[in-house]
Amino acid sequence: MQSEIEKAGVSREEAGGLSMLAPGENNFRKAGTFLSKYGIYFAFLLLTAVLSIISPPFLTPSNIINILRQISVNGIIAVGMTLVIITAGID
């Protein structure tokens, strides 16, 4: 489906970026905006579901504690680096 600007023979760039979206294009834009905001959470849930199906011990309490212990070092380093960046301590 062509937008009104494309029907007039003017490209969207020539129209200065002001274009009228075709009815279906607005839905794709909304979906893209939604995925750009929340896509990482869907990816995390999908990864968790796949790993729990492939490996039943994945969601056991002992494995979750083990994973948290392993990432704690990276978390502490990330907090320290964030403080260095905030205080402009980078040479």
Side-chain angles (χ1 to χ4, degrees), residues 11-90:
S11 70
R12 291 178 186 211
E13 291 79 23
E14 292 172 349
L18 300 173
S19 64
M20 298 175 66
L21 295 174
E25 291 181 48
N26 197 18
N27 292 335
F28 286 120
R29 185 166 290 183
K30 286 180 183 178
T33 303
F34 182 78
L35 285 177
S36 69
K37 286 183 180 180
Y38 304 109
I40 192 72
Y41 300 113
F42 288 119
F44 176 72
L45 291 176
L46 179 67
L47 184 64
T48 303
V50 168
L51 289 175
S52 63
I53 291 170
I54 291 173
S55 175
F58 179 72
L59 287 179
T60 60
S62 62
N63 189 45
I64 292 173
I65 291 171
N66 187 26
I67 291 171
L68 290 175
R69 281 186 188 149
Q70 290 178 4
I71 65 170
S72 65
V73 174
N74 289 340
I76 292 169
I77 292 171
V79 169
M81 291 178 72
T82 301
L83 292 174
V84 168
I85 291 170
I86 289 173
T87 60
I90 299 175

